[in-house]
Amino acid sequence: MAEQRHQDWDPRAKDVQQNQIRAYDDMRQTCPVAWSDYQQWTLFRHADVMRVLEDHDTFSNAVSAHLSVPNGMDPPEHTPYRKTIEPYFAPEPMARFEPQCRDVARRLVNDLQKNQPVDVVNALSRPFALKIQCAFMGWPDSLHQPLAEWVMKNHRATLAADRAAMAEVAEEFDGYIRDLLDSRRQAGEQAPDDVTTQLMQEKVNGTPMTDGELVSLLRNWTVGELATISASISILTNYLAHYPALLNDLKAAPEQLSDAIDEILRMDAPLISNRRITTRDVEIGGRHIPAGEKITLLWASANRDEDTFGDPDNFCPHQNAPKNLLYGAGIHICPGAPLARMELKIFMEELLKQITGIEVVDSDTPERAMFPTGGFNYLPLQFLGSDPKTF
């Protein structure tokens, strides 16, 4: 027991947080299965992460003490909830949402100040994530500002590992959701026919979901969407600012965008990690992990594993796609992946239509996001205006 409690690294150390990706690259080489008080067991290698994803009997998703639908459930409990939500991300609803998604993206890019430095996070990333999530769920525009403020409070509480603050922030979000549910019940047949209303009418195992289950489900969807979509936009624009030739290629061949987006986000993760808990003693990478221990799956490292991808910074979309864990793998693979992929593709299409390039602002320094978030907190870039003929 003494060996396992040795602190192999400090995930919250300043040098780690300043550049999470590079720090994880180093850990993957020196201590690929590492213990820390903060993350408990952290897995850095692709093969080890895949082993966990494919063995849900040994590595349980029921990590949280709180209800988490369906993320924190294992089969057989997980299965009916998963079957209930998957149709919301099928091709037909995605096609229906596409025009609205494009309208949100186009309006944001139209309003973007060209040919001068802007903070991508405040001008594009966060507004797009908020607007697009509210649009998909059928939530009113009046929720944009409260949700924007909530995201920041949630991030600060999580970063500080302040359990009291985290509970308070969660309760605040739950209040927003319960208000939305109540207003729809009061509207009766006049309630909007949107995703939120439809979920309220769903049955799992023949029984309507409780408000607790609905709130948990909607919280998981929203928190995950707001954080990862925002992080993704900042990562993508930053990458293209540094690789103008690729930007020009994608402007000329936008049909290659989907593959390019997945590959860029493989190299620079918008979602840093997920957790599991061991149901029995297990050995990974020569380390003995007892039953009941929490395991952190570090997507941001596994997706850069040299043993799987070669040079992790080589842009090879087609070669790397089969092993890319951007949306996870196994029975818990992200059900919302079709929505996220569509949103990011449409946003980048609309952006590339209206710009000729993206430039780094040398006089200002970007600020990377800190665990558990990827991407940037502050990203100054300059978007070069396009020829009006292309609008």
Side-chain angles (χ1 to χ4, degrees):
M1 292 294 288
E3 184 273 338
Q4 77 177 53
R5 300 304 171 191
H6 171 72
Q7 190 90 345
D8 294 313
W9 72 310
D10 180 3
R12 290 179 289 184
K14 187 176 180 181
D15 59 333
V16 173
Q17 291 298 333
Q18 283 178 335
N19 193 333
Q20 292 187 75
I21 303 299
R22 297 303 170 195
Y24 301 156
D25 285 351
D26 291 342
M27 286 296 296
R28 191 170 56 253
Q29 303 301 321
T30 59
C31 189
V33 180
W35 168 268
S36 68
D37 292 334
Y38 183 56
Q39 289 185 3
Q40 296 205 5
W41 294 101
T42 302
L43 305 186
F44 293 87
R45 292 186 298 210
H46 191 279
D48 292 336
V49 169
M50 283 302 300
R51 175 182 166 188
V52 170
L53 296 177
E54 291 171 345
D55 183 1
H56 53 264
D57 290 328
T58 304
F59 304 97
S60 167
N61 259 50
V63 177
S64 175
H66 304 286
L67 178 66
S68 182
V69 180
N71 313 40
M73 295 175 168
D74 296 318
E77 183 185 26
H78 166 267
T79 309
Y81 289 95
R82 177 78 186 211
K83 286 181 178 177
T84 298
I85 64 175
E86 282 182 339
Y88 288 85
F89 305 104
E92 187 177 329
M94 292 300 91
R96 285 199 304 269
F97 183 58
E98 194 268 355
Q100 193 175 0
C101 180
R102 191 170 296 280
D103 184 60
V104 170
R106 184 177 293 133
R107 287 172 183 271
L108 262 178
V109 177
N110 281 343
D111 293 341
L112 179 66
Q113 294 178 315
K114 314 296 195 302
N115 304 310
Q116 59 181 290
V118 297
D119 173 19
V120 171
V121 177
N122 280 327
L124 293 175
S125 298
R126 287 182 183 146
F128 181 68
L130 278 165
K131 290 174 184 288
I132 209 67
Q133 177 65 5
C134 287
F136 180 69
M137 299 305 302
W139 295 350
D141 292 350
S142 58
L143 262 184
H144 291 171
Q145 189 58 34
L147 276 179
E149 294 170 2
W150 180 87
V151 168
M152 299 306 295
K153 284 188 279 189
N154 184 56
H155 182 60
R156 285 194 295 269
T158 304
L159 192 62
D162 184 336
R163 293 191 177 277
M166 290 165 70
E168 186 178 322
V169 169
E171 188 60 36
E172 179 185 342
F173 182 85
D174 290 0
Y176 294 139
I177 302 301
R178 291 182 191 279
D179 287 346
L180 289 163
L181 300 180
D182 289 343
S183 67
R184 281 162 167 74
R185 288 198 180 100
Q186 290 167 12
E189 293 183 358
Q190 304 303 313
D193 183 22
D194 55 29
V195 168
T196 302
T197 302
Q198 290 163 19
L199 281 169
M200 293 173 68
Q201 298 165 352
E202 293 284 1
K203 291 185 177 181
V204 177
N205 296 324
T207 305
M209 281 188 277
T210 65
D211 275 12
E213 290 171 329
L214 285 166
V215 168
S216 174
L217 175 59
L218 293 174
R219 187 200 306 123
N220 284 334
W221 276 13
T222 303
V223 175
E225 180 84 353
L226 293 181
T228 53
I229 292 297
S230 176
S232 295
I233 298 296
S234 66
I235 291 166
L236 293 168
T237 51
N238 177 67
Y239 191 88
L240 294 180
H242 287 87
Y243 294 93
L246 177 60
L247 184 148
N248 290 330
D249 289 346
L250 295 174
K251 277 179 66 68
E255 67 277 4
Q256 296 176 12
L257 262 171
S258 293
D259 292 337
I261 289 168
D262 277 12
E263 175 68 346
I264 294 168
L265 298 180
R266 175 194 64 77
M267 293 185 277
D268 194 345
L271 176 65
I272 298 296
S273 68
N274 273 144
R275 296 187 301 164
R276 299 291 191 271
I277 190 165
T278 52
T279 61
R280 51 180 169 248
D281 288 11
V282 66
E283 185 170 301
I284 304 178
R287 307 296 295 268
H288 175 75
I289 303 177
E293 297 277 283
K294 289 182 181 176
I295 290 183
T296 299
L297 306 179
L298 216 55
W299 309 121
S301 173
N303 254 349
R304 295 177 53 80
D305 190 335
E306 295 81 357
D307 288 344
T308 301
F309 301 103
D311 182 344
D313 291 308
N314 273 354
F315 180 83
C316 304
H318 299 295
Q319 176 181 316
N320 293 330
K323 300 287 187 179
N324 192 341
L325 295 175
L326 176 60
Y327 294 102
I331 64 167
H332 292 286
I333 192 168
C334 177
L339 175 64
R341 282 191 166 108
M342 182 182 77
E343 290 172 349
L344 294 173
K345 175 176 176 286
I346 285 175
F347 179 87
M348 295 307 296
E349 283 175 354
E350 293 302 318
L351 179 67
L352 294 181
K353 284 178 188 175
Q354 293 199 31
I355 63 170
T356 56
I358 308 174
E359 292 184 347
V360 174
V361 179
D362 292 326
S363 59
D364 208 350
T365 305
E367 179 189 329
R368 275 280 180 174
M370 298 173 75
F371 184 90
T373 308
F376 293 82
N377 286 336
Y378 174 69
L379 178 61
L381 294 176
Q382 182 162 285
F383 296 86
L384 306 182
S386 172
D387 185 332
K389 290 183 295 186
T390 65
F391 282 17

